[in-house]
Amino acid sequence: SAVISQKPSRDICQRGTSLTIQCQVDSQVTMMFWYRQQPGQSLTLIATANQGSEATYESGFVIDKFPISRPNLTFSTLTVSNMSPEDSSIYLCSVGGTGGEKLFFGSGTQLSVL
Amino acid sequence: AQSVTQPDIHITVSEGASLELRCNYSYGATPYLFWYVQSPGQGLQLLLKYFSGDTLVQGIKGFEAEFKRSQSSFNLRKPSVHWSDAAEYFCAVGTTGGFKTIFGAGTRLFVKA
């Protein structure tokens, strides 16, 4: 199992600003995943973060908008840049899912953009 | 690329009645399949998973799911629904390369007395 600490848990931000979300795992993992869950919606994979290489982004997500860092095997950050109200969502860090394992999720960051 | 379809946005069942939530997937190889449940304001909890072996898998809380390769389906069932089962249910598929998990749109379950 994995324990994931994610912060901040929530934030209210102004349009045009940026927010960096941090994700700390209690064990070394190869891959970390960032998801977005918009109000009343499912989870959408934003990107996969590998240590030592650039993140792999899913269709519809770009590095300029959602830059990701992965400096070591237990930590990652996701930045939501130049925010607009459409970015209001819950952002989730997760690990696992490889080889049939279940995903472990952080507690999420609830972002509201005014 | 893999994808997951949950055709029912919401379903209402009476307490004590049986339940079946539908899930269809698209993936070129044998996938890993999951059902997660999310209660209001809560995180996701794994109900069950399948990746090989017996195509009927048992999960927690009395849920089961059956993998049907010919229909690309992985439907979730429960013989008798309890009011506490009201939640959002997500079907998900993981690649056998294990690199990512994709979620369906979810089905909201309402339970009436």
Side-chain angles (χ1 to χ4, degrees):
Chain A
S1 64
V3 177
I4 303 174
S5 300
Q6 188 175 335
K7 60 182 182 181
S9 59
R10 61 176 64 232
D11 207 342
I12 300 173
C13 301
Q14 295 296 319
R15 181 195 298 259
T17 62
S18 298
L19 175 72
T20 295
I21 302 167
Q22 299 180 7
C23 179
Q24 179 76 51
V25 188
D26 68 342
S27 58
Q28 294 184 338
V29 294
T30 304
M31 294 180 175
M32 297 176 73
F33 305 93
W34 288 98
Y35 286 87
R36 179 176 72 184
Q37 187 174 25
Q38 294 177 302
Q41 303 294 315
S42 182
L43 283 78
T44 302
L45 182 63
I46 297 171
T48 303
N50 299 317
Q51 193 268 334
S53 63
E54 277 198 4
T56 302
Y57 289 83
E58 296 299 305
S59 176
F61 298 94
V62 295
I63 187 171
D64 289 346
K65 176 67 176 177
F66 298 101
I68 288 172
S69 78
R70 184 80 201 276
N72 58 53
L73 291 173
T74 63
F75 187 80
S76 178
T77 67
L78 170 76
T79 299
V80 186
S81 303
N82 188 25
M83 289 184 284
S84 67
E86 292 70 34
D87 294 319
S88 297
S89 186
I90 297 174
Y91 292 85
L92 294 153
C93 167
S94 73
V95 302
T98 58
E101 296 177 344
K102 71 174 186 180
L103 283 171
F104 297 90
F105 289 92
S107 54
T109 297
Q110 183 154 5
L111 171 62
S112 298
V113 183
L114 305 179
Chain B
Q2 72 267 42
S3 65
V4 183
T5 301
Q6 293 180 249
D8 303 306
I9 297 173
H10 54 81
I11 284 181
T12 301
V13 300
S14 298
E15 191 169 16
S18 63
L19 169 70
E20 182 169 29
L21 301 182
R22 296 183 291 165
C23 173
N24 292 94
Y25 70 90
S26 173
Y27 183 58
T30 300
Y32 297 118
L33 296 163
F34 307 84
W35 276 99
Y36 287 86
V37 60
Q38 186 177 39
S39 298
Q42 303 295 311
L44 284 95
Q45 181 180 23
L46 180 70
L47 287 175
L48 46 80
K49 66 178 182 180
Y50 168 83
F51 55 91
S52 67
D54 194 344
T55 57
L56 184 64
V57 294
Q58 303 296 321
I60 62 171
K61 304 185 177 184
F63 286 93
E64 67 177 26
E66 186 172 12
F67 170 60
K68 293 185 177 180
R69 184 188 303 275
S70 62
Q71 299 177 19
S72 297
S73 68
F74 189 57
N75 294 349
L76 181 72
R77 300 194 294 250
K78 187 170 184 178
S80 177
V81 169
H82 187 263
W83 65 267
S84 60
D85 293 325
E88 186 91 23
Y89 290 80
F90 295 100
C91 182
V93 59
T95 64
T96 47
F99 295 147
K100 60 185 180 182
T101 303
I102 301 300
F103 287 79
T107 298
R108 169 73 65 177
L109 174 64
F110 298 94
V111 180
K112 60 182 182 181

